[in-house]
Amino acid sequence: MTRLKTEWIRTIEEAASSWNDILKQKTGVGYIELAACISGNSVENIKAAVSEYKTAVVPVTSGEGVITDFAESVTAITAAMGFNSFVTDKTDVDGIYEAYMKSADIIYMADDNRYIAVNTKTGRISDNNKATAYGFAELLCLMAGEIKNKKTAVLGYGIIGRLMAEYLRNKGAVVYVYEQNDDLKGKIISDGYFCIENIRELKQFKYIADATNTGGWLGSDMLASDVLISAPGIPLSLDVQAAEQLKARYIHDLLEIGTAVMAGMAV
Ligand code: 2YJ
């Protein structure tokens, strides 16, 4: 699991709102519509929550400690959705106490293993892995227009890759998985997916869900010219040239989509 770095997330605070606009241009949905879709809430329900709920982010010092700008970035994303959002002054348990005392409805917090949002009123909890995987998988479906019966590649069969494969299969996609770790191939097959044996086969795929976490290994010569990529994997797999060339054809972010969907799943 990739640990976020301050230098990667530095721009999220100022760009959270414009990324919402770009997402809408690319897929037809923004944070709120995607949060509604994945959580099974109506857009009206999410909008009502946004206008009523306070969200708090508690910095967590355990393990590798606080990531400078992490809590502020999460706050900026929920604020871009319209929530009344704040970072607690205190950290850890004292921060959770502060969030309750300030009547936060949803509390976000992350340690090295898990990033969650807890609804203090209903007890509902959402997990970033699921929110991110389902959010990005749905965005691939939206970019595709119709994913049913379409050959779709999932790169990486870790936590996020598995959740994306499951989501895409439920949407009717024919899922092929590329995974470098040979020990996982048996699992891919027994889970009911096809294996991409050689990365050269990737060129045949128009639809790609990329959940790998080695940056810069994917060049445009390895991809179909009309490829559409939804890429929650961090760092981005596309090399610098491919990222520039395919700008209009891929979606990637570090925190925004997952965080927005988490809000929906905690409402
Ligand atoms: O509060 C803080 O600033 C830190 N404790 C945040 C830690 C963020 N955690 C991570 O980046 C981990 N890799 C877990 C993320 C899970 C996302 N799927």
Side-chain angles (χ1 to χ4, degrees), residues 155 202 208-220 222-223 229 231-240 242-243 250 252:
L155 311 184
L202 198 58
I208 298 179
D210 177 21
T212 60
N213 55 13
T214 319
W217 61 276
L218 202 50
S220 47
M222 300 163 77
L223 299 164
I229 305 173
I234 302 172
L236 179 65
S237 299
L238 295 173
D239 64 27
V240 175
Y250 77 91
H252 169 73

Side-chain angles (χ1 to χ4, degrees), residues 41 96 106 151 228:
N41 282 292
I96 296 171
I106 297 179
K151 267 177 73 172
L228 292 168

